Amino acid sequence: MEKHTEYKYMSGFGNHFSSEALPDALPKNQNSPQKCSYGLYAEQLSGTAFTVERKNNQRSWLYRIRPSVSHKPFTKIDEKTGLVSQFSDTNNVSYIPNQIRWNPFKSTEKADSSQNINFIDGLHTLAGAGDPSVRNGLAIHIYNANHDMVDTAFYNSDGDFLIVPQHGRLDVTTEFGRIMVSPCEIVVIPRGIKFAVNFPDGPSRGYVLEVFVGHFELPELGAIGANGLANPRDFLTPTAFYEEKTDCDYTIVNKYVGQLFSAKQNHSPFDVVAWHGNYVPYKYDLNNFNVIGSISYDHLDPSIFTVLTCKSAFPGTAIADFVVFPPRWAVQEHTFRPPYFHRNCMSEFMGIIKGKYDAKAEGFLPGGASLHSHMTPHGPDTPTFEKASNEELKPVRKNNAIYPIIF
């Protein structure tokens, strides 16, 4: 078997895809034949319960050189980590109703060169709600890393990861293929899918949204119509990639109920030669977002900037909405154009990829973050208010790239 290494993608959101790195590696007309081509093993990965209605059912079939079950027992990693997932734990979590802002998180470029920090070690939790043990809620992390995951893979049993690089590209290898992710792009790794992150540009930092229940979906468009916001065709899923790496010392790290466990195995987990299904990792370029906005008066609600949503059991209310404020024109007449003063039944976390935030001209910088918890008042600072209340209103091009998470 030869190694398939190119970055190639298939277009679409929620599609049923098929991909093979070797000809005829996918079985014909069935999922689990008595004998698979090339001596491969058939393995199903279920992202939803078997009996979930068909329109929401997610699963994929993988055809791999070694079955995933071929590993030694998991043991708990005792070293202290920066991860928190159980937000009812008052020993590790502080409840603060104040408006919170973080300066840009220190880059690992300035760390001791002998301190190698991979993606797992560089994860630190900032905020969240709920508990993964009951599959309800979310967590927001930052990552700050400078070292590739060598012979190491990670998977998350607690939920889906939505990763937003702010500085430095991510070279992400998954069981389904390879994904190159640049700043202003996002990558989603659903629950249970193994992946490894390398850093082709050196040290990297960014943000991670984790949801403990359900999966991300495109928001409904309602009166907008059939087109707008994030178009399905702009989401990209990788094609099959595999490496035939055996007789090695590979470490599998699992996040389970907020704790990290590791297991050893003697082969690469990235040995999937072919696969088909709709439970897949994918990436999206935020520059492709089709912005909807007011062309007459007033500042519309930020829900019009929703890229992806994770729905709750209550119609119209999300576990989390991932939103982006991309480059766009502001043209409203006789209107206070920055974000209005607000109190919200949902919490708002915000990070900046580049540019400036309309409501905070100074002090809120790329690589930093802010949190406004539910019902905490927030709004523009005094200099922004004075300027926006008195300036001559002309069409203005905004060139920032800011993403809020509303939960």
Side-chain angles (χ1 to χ4, degrees):
M1 296 183 184
E2 296 179 356
K3 194 173 180 178
H4 179 72
T5 59
E6 296 180 6
Y7 297 89
K8 293 184 178 180
Y9 305 99
M10 297 173 285
S11 170
F13 187 90
N15 297 15
H16 189 290
F17 297 103
S18 296
S19 183
E20 55 185 11
L22 293 176
D24 300 319
L26 279 173
K28 303 292 192 295
N29 307 319
Q30 66 178 120
N31 295 319
S32 186
Q34 185 178 19
K35 288 187 177 181
C36 294
S37 299
Y38 303 101
L40 300 173
Y41 292 83
E43 179 180 283
Q44 182 174 203
L45 176 61
S46 296
T48 56
F50 294 138
T51 52
V52 166
E53 57 189 345
R54 179 175 286 229
K55 67 178 182 179
N56 293 321
N57 205 298
Q58 296 186 39
R59 65 91 175 94
S60 289
W61 279 90
L62 290 71
Y63 302 90
R64 57 195 321 144
I65 299 171
R66 298 285 188 276
S68 293
V69 73
S70 299
H71 64 79
K72 294 181 180 179
F74 281 95
T75 58
K76 186 177 178 181
I77 298 175
D78 292 326
E79 291 87 352
K80 183 175 177 60
T81 72
L83 292 172
V84 176
S85 290
Q86 294 172 299
F87 294 97
S88 58
D89 182 0
T90 55
N91 292 321
N92 293 315
V93 177
S94 297
Y95 301 100
I96 305 172
N98 292 325
Q99 305 90 343
I100 302 173
R101 190 188 309 172
W102 289 270
N103 290 327
F105 299 99
K106 184 178 179 181
S107 172
T108 51
E109 287 178 299
K110 299 177 182 178
D112 184 343
S113 60
S114 65
Q115 187 179 14
N116 293 327
I117 304 172
N118 68 21
F119 179 80
I120 304 168
D121 299 329
L123 281 171
H124 295 273
T125 305
L126 288 184
D131 188 330
S133 68
V134 293
R135 294 192 179 185
N136 188 38
L138 79 163
I140 297 169
H141 319 283
I142 58 103
Y143 74 87
N144 207 340
N146 62 4
H147 190 63
D148 295 347
M149 291 173 60
V150 180
D151 287 343
T152 302
F154 177 80
Y155 74 98
N156 185 6
S157 294
D158 292 342
D160 293 9
F161 267 180
L162 187 159
I163 304 172
V164 188
Q166 186 271 324
H167 172 75
R169 291 179 300 162
L170 306 181
D171 183 356
V172 184
T173 300
T174 76
E175 295 177 271
F176 291 77
R178 299 180 68 187
I179 308 173
M180 186 66 74
V181 191
S182 300
C184 288
E185 294 183 326
I186 62 172
V187 59
V188 174
I189 312 290
R191 181 198 310 264
I193 293 177
K194 296 184 180 75
F195 68 97
V197 181
N198 293 336
F199 304 104
D201 302 327
S204 177
R205 70 182 177 192
Y207 312 88
V208 181
L209 167 61
E210 177 185 10
V211 290
F212 301 148
V213 61
H215 301 292
F216 291 103
E217 305 176 26
L218 293 174
E220 302 295 340
L221 294 180
I224 294 174
N227 305 288
L229 308 187
N231 293 312
R233 65 179 296 189
D234 293 326
F235 289 82
L236 301 177
T237 292
T239 58
F241 155 86
Y242 72 93
E243 56 183 16
E244 191 173 8
K245 191 173 183 180
T246 58
D247 298 324
C248 58
D249 185 25
Y250 226 99
T251 301
I252 307 298
V253 179
N254 174 217
K255 180 174 173 290
Y256 183 79
V257 194
Q259 301 178 73
L260 296 182
F261 297 80
S262 68
K264 293 289 187 178
Q265 62 185 49
N266 64 359
H267 63 279
S268 169
F270 306 119
D271 63 352
V272 177
V273 179
W275 61 267
H276 73 85
N278 63 349
Y279 191 61
V280 296
Y282 54 87
K283 77 168 187 172
Y284 174 74
D285 186 343
L286 297 172
N287 293 302
N288 291 328
F289 188 79
N290 185 207
V291 182
I292 304 295
S294 172
I295 56 173
S296 56
Y297 64 90
D298 277 357
H299 190 291
L300 301 185
D301 294 333
S303 51
I304 61 169
F305 297 102
T306 301
V307 180
L308 292 169
T309 185
C310 180
K311 295 179 180 177
S312 75
F314 303 97
T317 302
I319 297 294
D321 288 324
F322 177 76
V323 178
V324 65
F325 299 154
R328 63 201 184 279
W329 284 94
V331 298
Q332 306 100 307
E333 298 178 321
H334 47 81
T335 293
F336 182 76
R337 288 181 177 176
Y340 42 68
F341 293 99
H342 191 206
R343 290 179 294 165
N344 194 349
C345 64
M346 300 181 77
S347 298
E348 301 178 20
F349 175 91
M350 189 175 300
I352 300 185
I353 302 171
K354 64 179 182 180
K356 292 183 177 181
Y357 181 44
D358 303 5
K360 299 285 189 295
E362 303 295 336
F364 190 20
L365 303 174
S370 73
L371 175 64
H372 301 138
S373 295
H374 55 277
M375 292 306 173
T376 293
H378 54 277
D381 57 21
T382 300
T384 300
F385 177 82
E386 294 295 337
K387 180 176 183 295
S389 299
N390 296 288
E391 66 184 352
E392 181 183 359
L393 295 180
K394 298 179 180 180
V396 175
R397 174 72 173 173
K398 300 182 179 182
N399 291 312
N400 50 16
I402 301 166
Y403 84 92
I405 297 168
I406 301 174
F407 64 95

